[in-house]
Amino acid sequence: HPFQGGATLLSLGLIFLLYTMFVWWRDVLRESTLEGHHTKVVQLGPRYGFILFIVSEVMFLFALFRASFHSSLAPTVEIGGIWPPKGIGVLDPREIPFLNTLIPPSSGAAVTWAHHAILAGKEKRAVYALVATVSLALVFTGFQGMEYYQAPSTISDSIYGSTFFLATGFHGFHVIIGTLFSIICGIRQYLGHLTKEHHVGFEAAAWYWHFVDVVRLFP
């Protein structure tokens, strides 16, 4: 909004928010690795909390898919009684969308490889697996950017554009968050923070990544 000082206020708010997140997570890592405060009982809290977070994400994305199915399975008169609505261009599902459906399961396999490597005490292999995961995620994000650039419709094109871009956009956002998650885990693994007895942060990243993989398999 064109308010005087609005951009400055927004920038300061984002800076303080990011700084707070960084310091908070830094302290959590120190407590878990250097100070040894994260016992098996303490680790249950983050595990349960993250499971509840993923459940909330499932509910959120279910609402988006429900909106898409509601409009596509029974098109109303207002959109011409057909799906996609008349005059709306669609992407060929055999091209980039097909490739981007294959990449998430492949990256999920790489995360599983990293998990087994951590459990086996093979630190270098875990790092290699996380590098493969991040590389596949970056390829996915690049393809989705190309998909949006070549898309013949926009988010303002009827209910089709709204549901398509909202669902795929939020999925892409989750991929970016999961990519950052995996990068942090890779750095921590390289620094020797993760052990086969204590790797809650990696488990949360793996759960999140598998959740993102499963979501991509839906239409």
Side-chain angles (χ1 to χ4, degrees), residues 100-113:
N100 264 5
T101 302
L102 298 178
I103 292 174
S106 303
S107 62
V111 167
T112 304
W113 172 28

Side-chain angles (χ1 to χ4, degrees), residues 32 45 84 132 191 201:
S32 63
L191 296 175

Side-chain angles (χ1 to χ4, degrees), residues 112-127 129 189:
T112 304
W113 172 28
H115 196 187
H116 285 287
I118 292 174
L119 293 176
K122 299 178 180 179
E123 294 83 2
K124 287 187 177 180
R125 290 191 181 182
V127 174
Q189 176 63 36

Side-chain angles (χ1 to χ4, degrees), residues 81-160:
I82 58 173
W83 187 264
K86 188 176 181 179
I88 302 296
V90 298
L91 292 163
D92 188 347
R94 296 168 296 180
E95 296 180 352
I96 294 179
F98 178 71
L99 288 174
N100 264 5
T101 302
L102 298 178
I103 292 174
S106 303
S107 62
V111 167
T112 304
W113 172 28
H115 196 187
H116 285 287
I118 292 174
L119 293 176
K122 299 178 180 179
E123 294 83 2
K124 287 187 177 180
R125 290 191 181 182
V127 174
Y128 297 153
L130 286 169
V131 169
T133 301
V134 172
S135 300
L136 288 168
L138 293 175
V139 171
F140 175 91
T141 304
F143 276 148
Q144 183 153 343
M146 292 172 57
E147 183 180 47
Y148 280 4
Y149 181 76
Q150 298 174 2
S153 58
T154 66
I155 195 171
S156 60
D157 287 331
S158 184
I159 185 65
Y160 178 86

Side-chain angles (χ1 to χ4, degrees), residues 190-207:
Y190 179 77
L191 296 175
H193 289 184
L194 307 178
T195 65
K196 53 186 175 182
E197 295 85 13
H198 189 178
H199 50 275
V200 178
F202 173 82
E203 284 183 339
W207 294 343

